[in-house]
Amino acid sequence: MSMPTDGAGGEAVTRRNAARNGGSSASGLPRGVVALFAVACGAAVANVYFSQPLLVTMGHDLAMSPALIGSVVTLTQVGYGLGLFLLVPLGDVADRRRLIVTQLVLLVAALAVVATARTAAVLLAGMAATGLLAVVTQTLVAFAAALAAPAARGRAVGVVTSGVVVGILLARTASGLLADLAGWRSVYLASASLTAVLALVLYRVLPRHSAAPPAALRYGQLLRSTVTLFARERLLRLRALFGLLVFAAFSTLWSSVALPLSEAPYFLSHSAIGALGLVGAAGALAATVAGRLNDRGLSRRTTGIALALLAVSWLPLSATRSSLWALVAGVILLDLAVQAVHVTNQTLIHALHPDAGSRLIGGYMVFYSIGSATGAVAATSLYAVAGWGAVCALGAAFSCLGLALWVFTRRGDPAGPNAEAVSRSGS
């Protein structure tokens, strides 16, 4: 099957789906519902990152030692990692509408605990719970993929993922600005209010019944089956490795870029550094474009081009100390590349077993978390001993490893013209 023919067939199916759904988007879902998924994902995942610009203020307010305040971020990330494995797979055995709304309501309670915390212990418990429940983001992604028309699933995942990108990159900027205006507690009160509104809207909008009945598995069997899927599916393992490497590169940049910018010759303020997230939001555009390319059967080519751009992005990034324009160019390239690979990964792995979409995406995101944590720890440690040039070398190494993996596995990677056929038959 040739690539152009497959793409044309995908477009024809897309047009038929759009015609049948009237006011629906090309994904087979109403445009308003797709946008709502994106907003809800962005709002939920932002809770994982709100604390990063607020740590010093939180520590002073609650008389926490530097070591203890540093555990705020750690516990939030640990909670998120546990949620990916323990909560996200529930989407395959429970009513997703009820699961999403329940998690959002519990997230409101966790955010309220953080906002009203008067002791370090209460704050840390609230942050751990917030991270655990913020994985509702991935349940929403899996639900959107399941509801979308098979021939346009990439587009739906791309739009929803764009909301995740915006939420991650703008969380620090928004929390810093709001904390300057009304204190750090206002950040979590505002987020709790927004989450409560989203829970109500999603309760009213989401379909009450899934297209396919949930799997009849006990909880222990559910968790074991996630591991079994990884052992059985080569494409899932390969795409998880791509995810680990690209997010290691992503985290290498975003966990350490504030360090050279706060020093000579720039001495930028926290607000100015946070505004860099606005530049990184260009990755949201890549998410939607990559989704469209996936629907045309161009998954493998999209992955290769994106990984090449990711490797190239470290050339301008290495010139950060001499040019802010070079930094901006590098950030745009890096975020475009990372999100293109991420959307491609999620679209392909969901198509393997749509009835196990939550387990697949939850398991994949565990590798995402491992990559993010590895990049953050390695980058900050390396900067302290060897400077920005070494950090860029590290990011380039992660990126080149990803590109090398693609080169050596592309012949056996089913993410080519046949991937779309797999997606249609699997759905």
Side-chain angles (χ1 to χ4, degrees):
M1 185 184 297
S2 68
M3 200 169 293
T5 301
D6 184 74
E11 291 300 309
V13 174
T14 297
R15 286 194 292 272
R16 289 197 297 272
N17 285 332
R20 280 199 301 267
N21 286 284
S24 297
S25 70
S27 67
L29 288 170
R31 291 183 179 88
V33 174
V34 177
L36 178 61
F37 271 102
V39 171
C41 284
V45 77
N47 291 297
V48 180
Y49 300 92
F50 279 147
S51 66
Q52 293 182 2
L54 311 177
L55 294 178
V56 174
T57 305
M58 286 178 168
H60 288 161
D61 190 20
L62 298 178
M64 299 171 68
S65 67
L68 192 58
I69 195 62
S71 63
V72 168
V73 174
T74 302
L75 282 174
T76 307
Q77 293 290 348
V78 168
Y80 194 80
L82 288 173
L84 290 172
F85 186 73
L86 299 177
L87 295 184
V88 174
L90 289 172
D92 292 333
V93 296
D95 182 289
R96 280 178 174 151
R97 171 177 170 269
R98 183 178 300 174
L99 179 64
I100 287 167
V101 172
T102 299
Q103 287 186 350
L104 287 173
V105 170
L106 292 174
L107 181 56
V108 171
L111 291 167
V113 168
V114 172
T116 58
R118 297 298 172 186
T119 66
V122 172
L123 175 69
L124 294 175
M127 293 304 300
T130 295
L132 181 74
L133 295 163
V135 297
V136 68
T137 300
Q138 303 310 321
T139 305
L140 284 161
V141 172
F143 200 14
L147 293 173
R153 180 172 291 123
R155 249 174 274 196
V157 173
V159 172
V160 174
T161 301
S162 71
V164 179
V165 176
V166 173
I168 292 173
L169 292 174
L170 299 189
R172 302 170 184 88
T173 304
S175 65
L177 292 174
L178 194 56
D180 287 341
L181 292 173
W184 72 268
R185 295 178 187 275
S186 68
V187 175
Y188 293 95
L189 287 174
S191 184
S193 301
L194 175 60
T195 303
V197 171
L198 287 170
L200 178 61
V201 174
L202 288 168
Y203 176 78
R204 296 176 63 88
V205 170
L206 293 180
R208 295 178 180 273
H209 302 287
S210 301
L217 294 173
R218 294 177 181 173
Y219 185 63
Q221 294 174 318
L222 183 71
L223 298 185
R224 286 193 297 272
S225 69
T226 302
V227 178
T228 301
L229 285 168
F230 271 85
R232 191 172 64 200
E233 298 291 352
R234 178 182 181 274
L235 176 62
L236 179 57
R237 297 192 300 273
L238 178 60
R239 288 286 153 175
L241 285 175
F242 281 139
L244 186 154
L245 290 169
V246 299
F247 279 103
F250 181 86
S251 184
T252 295
L253 172 68
W254 287 106
S255 64
S256 61
V257 71
L259 300 174
L261 294 181
S262 61
E263 300 171 351
Y266 301 118
F267 298 108
L268 295 183
S269 66
H270 292 299
S271 298
I273 295 172
L276 191 62
L278 297 173
V279 177
L285 174 63
T288 57
V289 173
R292 291 176 181 272
L293 292 173
N294 277 281
D295 291 332
R296 296 176 60 189
L298 301 175
S299 303
R300 185 168 57 199
R301 185 179 301 177
T302 300
T303 302
I305 293 173
L307 289 169
L309 288 177
L310 183 62
V312 169
S313 71
W314 291 99
L315 292 175
L317 287 171
S318 66
T320 292
R321 287 195 177 277
S322 58
S323 172
L324 284 177
W325 288 111
L327 171 63
V328 169
V331 165
I332 291 173
L333 283 176
L334 182 139
D335 276 24
L336 287 172
V338 168
Q339 299 310 325
V341 176
H342 186 42
V343 170
T344 302
N345 289 345
Q346 291 184 101
T347 304
L348 289 172
I349 64 175
H350 187 278
L352 285 172
H353 298 282
D355 58 329
S358 291
R359 278 167 284 171
L360 291 168
I361 289 180
Y364 162 77
M365 289 299 295
V366 170
F367 283 78
Y368 156 101
S369 295
I370 293 171
S372 295
T374 301
V377 172
T380 52
S381 302
L382 195 58
Y383 185 87
V385 298
W388 180 246
V391 170
C392 291
L394 174 68
F398 285 132
S399 306
C400 289
L401 279 174
L403 183 58
L405 180 64
W406 177 81
V407 169
F408 287 114
T409 61
R410 70 184 189 278
R411 293 187 181 277
D413 183 2
N418 294 330
E420 187 61 26
V422 173
S423 175
R424 289 175 194 148
S425 65
S427 299

